[in-house]
Amino acid sequence: MVCDRNCGLITGAVIGAVLAVLGGILIPVGDMLIEKKVKKEVVLEEGTIAFKNWVETGTEVYRQFWIFDVQNPEEVAVNSSKIKVKQRGPYTYRVRYLAKKNIVQDPKTHTVSFLQPKGAIFEPSLSVGTENDTFTVLNLAVAAAPHLYPSAFIQLILNVFIKRSKSSMFQKRTLKELLWGYTDPFLNLIPYSTPTTVGMFYPHHNTSDGVYKVFSGKNDAISKANGASFPPFIEKTRVLRFFASEICRSFYAVFGAEVNLKGIPVYRFILPSMTFASPLQNPENRCFCTEKIISKNCTLYGVLDISKCKEGKPVYISLPHFLHASPEIAKTIEGLNPNQEEHSTYLDVEPITGFTLRFAQRLQINLLVKPARIIEALKNLKQNYIVPVLWLNETGTISDEKAEMFRKQVTEKINLLGLVEMILLSVGVVMFIAFMISYCTCRSKKVN
């Protein structure tokens, strides 16, 4: 009887040890299977999840606009007063709904080239008004004239056409005109060939940025991530970089917090304030300080000069309401209320696949206006203004249907595998210890 009992205890201990070892073996094997599956699905090639969602996004993406309606245009133009603005919005458009075109795979370099068509569909149900709502905003052509034509002689000629067209520092425009373009009366009078249509995003509809070429992620999904997502298996210490074509520059985001998005654990990466820091604080911004006077020898922070990206037009970008900007930049404007929660940019990234499941990209577009002695519409100005015209929030969130699909295909399988691994490991260890204790107790009694 003692022998049978000992044999049973030893057998139980062996079974426990086997279960523990099996659990230990499953952990690296399971991790390897997960890694292999993920690396396959994030590659931009026919049949993968990444490719399907990259060609034509399955998530509805919206671009919301808030317009800064100027309340005292005459007072500013005559007395060089502070500009009083009132934010109006949101006005919402659906964007990024057009499928990519001219997709060409290069198997030798593992790259993909493509065109990304642009379009925007107004969404009345998500807007506070219509595209015909009218705003008092900066006159884009008049404000840009002294920057594009610094010659006093040319400005003298331009002033004739500005006066003849009854143009001034500010103008009334509908939302549709301001965003997508209108024929400017001042430019329309110029007798020689010059573009006469202006708008904050003109041209946009049925256009593209040109041919993009990105890595497909084939054979190296970690260091050569594709254009649809970030690399898989993201650590919290990683810096994520992404490109914004309309402002001709890339940004970077750093880990901010862990978030649960529709049952999916994600990492929230945020745009740090250093993104808009002065070149003295952030050397990456040295190309966006093109002059020394406005920037106070490149010491001001919070705005970036992208005029070289906009054919010389004095366009500056910032975070909405000059969030994280030098106080001096906003001192000529009244009505701004910067708010970290409403005006910051973030991306919610699923760390195993690297897929972005929710994002909010927020930017403000401003124009620099300087006194111009020869141009009468600007001659009374006594200071420089960085005038906010509008700010936007481009946002998208994985749908409930796709979130459920993602959970079933990725999250739940990974959780289940991890659970099985831990149960086998835990049960095996407990069984081994329990039976070994019993065995030792039994042996002790036999000796006594």
Side-chain angles (χ1 to χ4, degrees):
M1 290 291 290
V2 173
C3 180
D4 290 343
R5 187 179 181 188
N6 287 344
C7 287
L9 292 172
I10 293 171
T11 302
V14 170
I15 293 173
V18 169
L19 288 174
V21 170
L22 185 59
I25 291 174
L26 273 177
I27 291 176
V29 171
D31 291 346
M32 188 167 54
L33 291 174
I34 292 170
E35 183 176 343
K36 183 178 179 181
K37 178 67 174 175
V38 169
K39 285 184 176 179
K40 177 185 176 183
E41 292 297 337
V42 300
V43 174
L44 288 184
E45 63 180 7
E46 290 282 357
T48 66
I49 296 174
F51 187 80
K52 180 181 178 182
N53 287 279
W54 174 76
V55 173
E56 187 171 7
T57 178
T59 299
E60 291 188 347
V61 179
Y62 297 99
R63 183 177 287 187
Q64 301 171 297
F65 293 98
W66 285 263
I67 312 300
F68 290 108
D69 194 19
V70 177
Q71 306 297 296
N72 59 336
E74 292 298 324
E75 186 182 347
V76 175
V78 175
N79 301 320
S80 193
S81 305
K82 283 188 176 182
I83 300 176
K84 297 177 182 178
V85 297
K86 181 180 180 181
Q87 173 183 285
R88 290 170 57 187
Y91 294 88
T92 306
Y93 290 80
R94 187 181 172 198
V95 296
R96 301 187 186 276
Y97 56 88
L98 296 173
K100 292 177 174 63
K101 297 166 58 178
N102 299 0
I103 299 173
V104 178
Q105 298 269 1
D106 187 337
K108 292 183 179 179
T109 60
H110 301 306
T111 57
V112 186
S113 60
F114 63 94
L115 288 176
Q116 177 64 73
K118 294 180 181 179
I121 301 173
F122 186 66
E123 297 283 351
S125 64
L126 300 175
S127 304
V128 298
T130 72
E131 286 189 293
N132 294 320
D133 285 4
T134 303
F135 307 87
T136 299
V137 292
L138 191 67
N139 191 316
L140 308 182
V142 172
H147 297 269
L148 297 174
Y149 305 100
S151 164
F153 176 71
I154 295 179
Q155 287 187 22
L156 194 62
I157 296 173
L158 293 178
N159 186 57
V160 173
F161 297 119
I162 292 172
K163 290 175 62 178
R164 190 178 297 173
S165 65
K166 294 182 170 43
S167 297
S168 59
M169 180 178 173
F170 297 95
Q171 61 178 342
K172 287 188 178 294
R173 288 291 165 191
T174 66
L175 174 74
K176 189 174 184 178
E177 290 174 328
L178 177 64
L179 297 180
W180 314 121
Y182 58 91
T183 300
D184 185 84
F186 144 52
L187 296 176
N188 201 39
L189 291 178
I190 297 176
Y192 51 86
S193 179
T194 185
T196 59
T197 303
V198 296
M200 296 301 293
F201 296 94
Y202 177 83
H204 184 84
H205 297 292
N206 301 315
T207 65
S208 70
D209 295 322
V211 178
Y212 282 98
K213 180 179 282 189
V214 298
F215 287 112
S216 67
K218 187 77 171 178
N219 295 339
D220 190 356
I222 304 297
S223 64
K224 293 184 178 179
N226 61 58
S229 64
F230 298 108
F233 311 110
I234 290 177
E235 303 283 346
K236 294 178 181 178
T237 55
R238 191 178 185 99
V239 175
L240 302 183
R241 295 186 179 274
F242 54 99
F243 183 71
S245 62
E246 289 180 327
I247 57 175
C248 308
R249 75 157 296 172
S250 60
F251 289 107
Y252 69 92
V254 296
F255 177 78
E258 293 186 19
V259 179
N260 187 290
L261 174 60
K262 300 184 178 181
I264 304 170
V266 296
Y267 289 172
R268 172 160 292 183
F269 283 81
I270 59 174
L271 205 69
S273 58
M274 283 294 289
T275 305
F276 289 89
S278 72
L280 297 179
Q281 300 169 304
N282 183 0
E284 287 188 9
N285 289 339
R286 62 185 180 277
C287 295
F288 299 94
C289 181
T290 58
E291 54 73 51
K292 305 298 182 182
I293 299 175
I294 305 298
S295 67
K296 295 190 181 297
N297 203 26
C298 296
T299 60
L300 292 186
Y301 52 90
V303 295
L304 298 177
D305 178 2
I306 61 168
S307 57
K308 290 186 177 179
C309 170
K310 300 298 179 182
E311 300 175 324
K313 300 179 185 70
V315 180
Y316 284 67
I317 59 167
S318 66
L319 291 175
H321 290 243
F322 293 127
L323 178 68
H324 301 319
S326 298
E328 295 173 67
I329 290 172
K331 71 178 183 180
T332 59
I333 312 295
E334 285 186 11
L336 301 179
N337 297 289
N339 180 290
Q340 177 71 29
E341 185 176 344
E342 294 181 14
H343 302 145
S344 59
T345 289
Y346 67 84
L347 306 98
D348 288 344
V349 181
E350 199 286 313
I352 295 172
T353 61
F355 292 164
T356 301
L357 304 186
R358 178 171 60 189
F359 69 93
Q361 181 179 314
R362 295 154 174 164
L363 287 173
Q364 181 170 298
I365 303 178
N366 317 277
L367 264 70
L368 171 64
V369 183
K370 299 191 296 185
R373 181 177 53 84
I374 297 174
I375 297 177
E376 290 189 25
L378 305 174
K379 72 175 185 179
N380 292 327
L381 300 183
K382 299 177 177 64
Q383 57 188 327
N384 298 313
Y385 294 84
I386 296 182
V387 183
V389 180
L390 59 84
W391 73 271
L392 61 89
N393 174 28
E394 187 165 304
T395 182
T397 304
I398 188 171
S399 65
D400 292 344
E401 180 184 357
K402 287 194 174 291
E404 183 180 0
M405 187 184 305
F406 190 93
R407 287 195 302 269
K408 289 180 178 178
Q409 292 184 355
V410 181
T411 309
E412 290 178 4
K413 288 183 179 180
I414 292 172
N415 290 342
L416 179 60
L417 182 58
L419 182 62
V420 170
E421 292 169 352
M422 293 310 297
I423 288 174
L424 286 173
L425 184 61
S426 301
V427 170
V429 169
V430 170
M431 283 182 66
F432 179 78
I433 293 172
F435 279 110
M436 286 306 296
I437 290 172
S438 298
Y439 176 74
C440 291
T441 303
C442 182
R443 293 284 296 175
S444 175
K445 288 180 178 179
K446 183 180 177 181
V447 169
N448 294 335

